[in-house]
Amino acid sequence: MNAKKGWANVSIVVALMVLGLVFSPFAGAADIKIGALNDMTGATSDVGKDYALGIAEAIHYINDTGGINGRKIKLYQFDYGYRIPEALTKYNLFKRLKCAAILGWGTGDTEALAPTVAKDKIPYVSASYSGHLCKPEKTPYNLFFSTDYSTQSRGLITSWFDKKWPTKPDYGKRKPRIAMCYMFASPFSSSSIKAAKDQAEMLGFEIGPDQDVSLFAIDTKSQILSLKEFKPDVVLHTNTVMSVAATLRDAYALGLGADNLIKCWGFDENLPRLAGKAAEGAIGCAPWAFYGLDVPLMDKVMEYAKKYNPGIPQEKRTIHTVQAWANALGLAEALKRADKAGDLSGEGILKKGFETMRGYEIGLGIAPATYTPTDHRSQSEAKIYEYKNGEFVLIDAVDLKARWPEKWKNEWLGW
Amino acid sequence: MNKKNGLRILLSVFLVAALFSGCAGMAAKPTEQNFKAPVITLDNMEVAHAFGYWYFSNKVEPTKGKPDNVGAPLDLAFTFNLENPNPFPVQLENLKFSVLFEDFELNTVSTNATQWIPPGATNQVLVHAHFDVRQSLLSLLVTGGFKLKEKGTNAWAALEKWWTGIPNYEIPVTVSSGAAVFKAGDMVKVATFEATFP
């Protein structure tokens, strides 16, 4: 009898322990699978690697801080070398793995997959910030936590017009002159040119001849000499950092004398390293804070970079790590909301997650994010930085929606 | 009957003890103080597959299939030793590293295949890194232009040198910024590593 009692007591203890294990944090809850497509070998690997590291570090942080309402994220991260066939292959793998969402990368994979993700209803959070991806009726499952390229270009031109043009000797005597340097054949480089020209026309600029600058360019003297005939006050650059640096260097050497406006992918910590003195005074749009700046959550970004990739010196980490955190944290918030609503399907993540965000604050120096069922431009504010005396300094924040509400609402969506 | 019950109780006590200890027979429990980062060394780099050096632009009509910009693949396999200096088992959760040909970074490779390393033991992990001429060309053109110019060379010359030299183990291949994530209990340790082969 006593023995029976003892046996029963022991059984209870064991049962309680098993229950304890079952109800421990994360126990029993299935992981939420997320796919990540990254470029660590191809044409954009210089910035892609830092972004990829940031994605993995951010997922560690999300899991360490409770995951998705107690469920961990299982990350499947692959390099696709910026090759579209490889991106399609990996996408099929993500589908087989039943990934709830995908953290994508560039214009190539994002545009190639847009119709497929819409059909499959898989949210695709990319690092391509093309304005073409913001119209839900065309690309309902494409999202990103950034100011889109068109809004960036409009903001840059507006900020220069407001702040720099009045300081010029010819202010009030003639129209300001603007020219644009980009790779004509690149969908990425040319994606915001139409919007930029529209903004320049609206503000009364004289627009000069476009200059075809390859993403591979290290010598742009012929383009600069052509620009010298037009005498621009300001030049908009929409390429990536190496060719932007080459253009700035040649403009500086040949005495073009124009100010420089640069879209986000050409304006990072590597620009002054590559362009030297020619980077001084360059103005760029950076929707996120530069790595190490004093903004909410930056301490965590740096802590996790040091913890998980201690072999990479801090001075080699860039704003692209911060970009990655923005997309990862934004996706995590959408997942939490959809999960709370009891619907982690692709449509649930979109409708009950992303599209419920109204002025959602991530931190990281990012403007508040809002998505609606009819508008996926998550931000209307372009944050403008100037590179001065070895530092990136925030000089302006242009809210396009607040300034031109009718045009924002009725004219500018989707291009 | 009493003896049987006594044995049952004894067995149950053992079971409880085993559950509490986390792993029967474990000599020590991992703590923040005693958890040492495992030591990672490059044991070998092997050219797993080489296809020579060639490149076709999409203007060239292939014998079969569609034309495209394609270049020779190159598959390198890196074998690492994972030495666990701890008196308890540790789990490898992830391992990643960058690969440089001479001093041009061309790839960042990772594996998420987990494995347990017994106390005091050394395991090995094999990681493949895929390269091809097209991919590496774009990487060099977009990012390495200034550096190639400084060195008095160009992307094509560098690629030919590497694709013909690496299969003969004539070009130094460097493993850089290596980081491996290990777990023991709730603790996480990251081990770093660097190496050049040959």
Side-chain angles (χ1 to χ4, degrees), chain A residues 175-242:
Chain A
K175 285 181 169 186
R177 290 190 287 258
I178 189 169
M180 299 177 194
C181 292
Y182 61 100
M183 183 169 172
F184 294 177
S186 163
F188 152 75
S189 301
S190 58
S191 74
S192 66
I193 296 299
K194 186 182 166 192
K197 286 183 177 172
D198 179 68
Q199 193 72 9
E201 269 175 31
M202 189 178 76
L203 294 172
F205 279 77
E206 186 185 339
I207 301 170
D210 290 356
Q211 298 302 312
D212 190 4
V213 177
S214 165
L215 288 166
F216 313 144
I218 54 171
D219 184 337
T220 62
K221 289 183 185 71
S222 63
Q223 291 92 330
I224 299 300
L225 290 170
S226 169
L227 281 178
K228 281 192 90 165
E229 292 172 29
F230 175 65
K231 297 190 183 71
D233 301 293
V234 62
V235 178
L236 176 70
H237 306 265
T238 61
N239 277 358
T240 50
V241 72
M242 191 188 77

Side-chain angles (χ1 to χ4, degrees), chain A residues 1-4 6-7 10-11 13-14 17-18 21 39-47 49 53 56 60 72 74-77 79-83 85 215-219 221 240-243 245-246 249 274-275 307-313 316, chain B residues 1-2 5-6 8-9 11-13 15-20 68 93-94 96 98 105-110 112 114 130-132 134-146 149-150 176-181 183 188-194:
Chain A
M1 200 63 175
N2 279 351
K4 269 189 186 175
W7 175 241
V10 169
S11 301
V13 170
V14 171
M17 285 185 59
V18 170
L21 287 172
D39 180 16
M40 293 180 258
T41 52
T44 57
S45 56
D46 61 329
V47 289
K49 178 192 164 182
L53 296 174
H60 277 298
K72 281 200 173 189
K74 169 74 179 162
L75 180 69
Y76 294 93
Q77 188 173 35
D79 169 50
Y80 77 108
Y82 213 65
R83 290 173 303 167
L215 288 166
F216 313 144
I218 54 171
D219 184 337
K221 289 183 185 71
T240 50
V241 72
M242 191 188 77
S243 61
R249 275 162 59 149
L274 294 170
K307 181 177 178 179
Y308 284 98
N309 290 293
I312 300 171
K316 281 200 170 180
Chain B
M1 201 62 174
N2 277 352
N5 282 334
R8 277 179 186 163
I9 290 165
L11 203 67
S12 301
V13 169
L15 185 66
V16 171
L19 274 169
F20 267 117
D68 201 356
E93 196 188 48
N94 164 275
K96 71 167 99 53
S98 296
E105 190 177 302
L106 288 175
N107 205 336
T108 298
V109 197
S110 66
N112 291 314
T114 61
H130 172 90
F131 302 81
D132 72 54
R134 172 66 183 175
Q135 229 168 281
S136 298
L137 170 72
L138 292 178
S139 175
L140 284 176
L141 287 175
V142 174
T143 67
F146 293 136
K149 200 176 172 185
E150 281 164 20
S176 164
S177 308
V181 180
K183 280 193 168 174
V188 171
K189 269 280 185 246
V190 178
T192 59
F193 55 97
E194 306 266 337

Side-chain angles (χ1 to χ4, degrees), chain A residues 106-123:
Chain A
T107 304
D109 64 281
T110 304
E111 289 188 353
L113 285 166
T116 314
V117 300
K119 183 169 63 72
D120 295 336
K121 297 184 175 179
I122 299 177

Side-chain angles (χ1 to χ4, degrees), chain A residues 126-194:
Chain A
S126 71
S128 170
Y129 310 124
S130 171
H132 305 133
L133 299 168
C134 297
K135 202 172 187 174
E137 65 188 67
K138 272 190 174 179
T139 54
Y141 283 83
N142 286 90
L143 307 122
F144 49 76
F145 288 82
S146 166
T147 311
D148 68 89
Y149 297 148
S150 299
T151 304
Q152 285 188 36
S153 296
R154 288 183 189 277
L156 281 163
I157 293 165
T158 304
S159 180
W160 184 89
F161 184 76
D162 291 345
K163 291 194 177 301
K164 299 289 179 183
W165 177 231
T167 68
K168 306 290 177 186
D170 283 357
Y171 176 69
K173 297 175 190 168
R174 60 168 174 85
K175 285 181 169 186
R177 290 190 287 258
I178 189 169
M180 299 177 194
C181 292
Y182 61 100
M183 183 169 172
F184 294 177
S186 163
F188 152 75
S189 301
S190 58
S191 74
S192 66
I193 296 299
K194 186 182 166 192

Side-chain angles (χ1 to χ4, degrees), chain B residues 15-77:
Chain B
L15 185 66
V16 171
L19 274 169
F20 267 117
S21 67
C23 180
M26 190 184 274
K29 284 191 76 171
T31 64
E32 199 58 57
Q33 288 71 36
N34 72 358
F35 186 7
K36 294 180 196 150
V39 181
I40 301 173
T41 50
L42 179 64
D43 186 70
N44 184 34
M45 187 213 82
E46 150 201 3
V47 180
H49 300 98
F51 297 82
Y53 173 72
W54 46 263
Y55 183 84
F56 294 101
S57 83
N58 59 10
K59 293 180 180 72
V60 178
E61 195 61 39
T63 309
K64 299 281 182 188
K66 292 177 182 172
D68 201 356
N69 297 305
V70 288
L74 182 63
D75 179 16
L76 305 183

Side-chain angles (χ1 to χ4, degrees), chain A residues 301-313:
Chain A
V301 174
M302 294 172 78
E303 179 192 326
Y304 275 70
K306 287 172 191 167
K307 181 177 178 179
Y308 284 98
N309 290 293
I312 300 171

